[in-house]
Amino acid sequence: MWKSMFRSVAERIIRSGTLKVVFPDDSSFEVGDSTGSPVTIRIHAPSVIRRCVLNAELALGEAYMDETMTVDGDDIYGLLDLMTRNLDDAEDPLYRKILYRFQVLTRSLAQFNPVSRARRNAAHHYDLSNDFYTLFLDRDKQYSCAYFPRPDMTLEEAQEAKKRHIAKKLLLEPGMKVLDIGCGWGGMGITLAEDHGSVVEGITLSTEQQALAMNRVRERNLEDRVAFRICDYREVKGRFDRIVSVGMFEHVGAPHYRQFFRDVRRLLERDGVALLHTIGRLDEPGTTNPWIRKYIFPGGYVPALSEVMQAIEKEGLSVTDVEIWQLHYAETLRCWRQRFEDNLKAVRGMFDDRFCRMWRFYLAACEVTFRNRSQVVFQIQITRDKNLPPATRDYMYAVRDQA
């Protein structure tokens, strides 16, 4: 029964391209239209068949991690690319639609992130090891979407371009106080201080990030202008001329959006500007992939633009610019994935093989999701005074990035 149901699910999904499935008893089948390079998966445990039928989003990643499902040539990227290219035209059976509706109804529980839980969630991902992230990020350790005005840019050039683009949207002047919510390893805050004369306070919930960020501050003798500390956004005091948040909003959780923007309003001067850079979805509000939620980003959620806008509006703030980046994150992830593969031996020296397979699955899954599905990046400029930014967007592009 489970084998026939597995085949039925595969036939519903794979219409374009070719997928071959080999079961533990060596029986097999093919689905698709026989075009493209075929992808072959081999299932080595009967339980995987049942689990994939019931909850493929969770079971597929776990089976790859545990090697109870393998891909010929270890082409996990090819498998995930094939699947995501077909998902828009796939129709879920009734039982999977019911499961999805249940996940939507209960998502508030999964995204409930009080301060204590937010700290644990951050540690789960960001406190793995600074040396580990060095293996695949750019030199500045920007762990968020890079900006590629030119397709031939290196990762380092594109991350610098991202920081310049954000700085333009912040309309900075020397001496302005800037709050960096989710400062990571400090690259954005240090750039705003060194290149724009800002006085920066950065906050993170990762002890590993904070320690390295402060070391970078001391190496540059910026202690009088930059400080990074362990702090939740709900605990920050004071007022700031500018607020920037890059790649942190995905960890807030939909139940806390009103609180987040209430605090932005509380912390932002009346003539201030805030810039929110976050992964987003172009379709309606949904849920977090269960494998990503369990293994990579517990408590995380990628919002629809409608969810973000509603929360901003209800807290009395004005949206003065929205920019949507379609494929920039796919290119960023391509760079990360290639560097991760190039340094796989070093990763194995830090963690076990299961961890390596988990991260190979994570990086590949995220890249194909940005290429083939509805995920993008939103950059949202927010003010308390809608008349504060210039009337046109020329100031963002007056000097094109030449790096």
Side-chain angles (χ1 to χ4, degrees), residues 86-122:
N86 279 277
L87 282 175
D88 281 341
D89 297 322
E91 182 179 352
D92 279 338
L94 178 61
Y95 73 91
R96 287 186 57 80
K97 292 179 181 178
I98 294 172
L99 174 63
Y100 177 74
R101 293 311 305 169
F102 176 78
Q103 292 171 341
V104 170
L105 290 172
T106 59
R107 70 174 192 161
S108 292
L109 296 176
Q111 297 173 33
F112 179 61
N113 294 318
V115 175
S116 59
R117 188 174 182 183
R119 291 182 190 277
R120 291 195 302 272
N121 291 343

Side-chain angles (χ1 to χ4, degrees), residues 3 81 284:
K3 287 170 63 176
D81 181 56
E284 65 183 2

Side-chain angles (χ1 to χ4, degrees), residues 250-320:
E250 301 90 329
H251 303 286
V252 171
H256 305 279
Y257 287 172
R258 291 283 302 276
Q259 176 71 60
F260 180 87
F261 291 111
R262 188 176 306 130
D263 285 321
V264 168
R265 192 178 194 281
R266 170 178 62 86
L267 297 166
L268 191 63
E269 294 284 6
R270 184 162 295 278
D271 59 351
V273 176
L275 192 285
L276 179 69
H277 171 119
T278 179
I279 299 172
R281 64 179 73 213
L282 291 178
D283 50 8
E284 65 183 2
T287 64
T288 301
N289 175 283
W291 186 87
I292 291 288
R293 184 176 69 241
K294 182 175 181 179
Y295 292 100
I296 307 298
F297 293 120
Y301 173 66
V302 171
L305 189 59
S306 58
E307 296 174 285
V308 183
M309 290 299 196
Q310 185 179 66
I312 293 172
E313 293 163 1
K314 288 185 175 180
E315 294 306 323
L317 293 164
S318 297
V319 172
T320 47

Side-chain angles (χ1 to χ4, degrees), residues 335-374:
C335 295
W336 291 348
R337 186 170 60 86
Q338 184 59 61
R339 293 182 181 203
F340 184 89
E341 297 290 351
D342 291 343
N343 290 288
L344 198 55
K345 183 177 179 180
V347 177
R348 287 197 176 105
M350 300 177 183
F351 304 99
D352 61 20
D353 283 345
R354 188 172 188 268
F355 178 93
C356 293
R357 288 191 295 274
M358 178 176 72
W359 269 74
R360 293 184 80 237
F361 190 92
Y362 157 56
L363 292 172
C366 288
E367 181 182 340
V368 298
T369 299
F370 278 98
R371 289 199 187 280
N372 302 328
R373 303 290 287 156
S374 68

Side-chain angles (χ1 to χ4, degrees), residues 66 151 174 224 226 256 284 338 378:
D66 296 334
D224 60 331
V226 183
H256 305 279
E284 65 183 2
Q338 184 59 61
F378 301 144

Side-chain angles (χ1 to χ4, degrees), residues 7-15 86 89-93:
R7 178 168 186 162
S8 176
V9 171
E11 289 173 342
R12 286 172 178 266
I13 296 174
I14 308 300
R15 306 291 180 87
N86 279 277
D89 297 322
E91 182 179 352
D92 279 338

Side-chain angles (χ1 to χ4, degrees), residues 147-158:
Y147 183 49
F148 291 84
R150 297 196 329 269
D152 62 339
M153 278 183 160
T154 65
L155 179 61
E156 277 70 20
E157 290 171 340

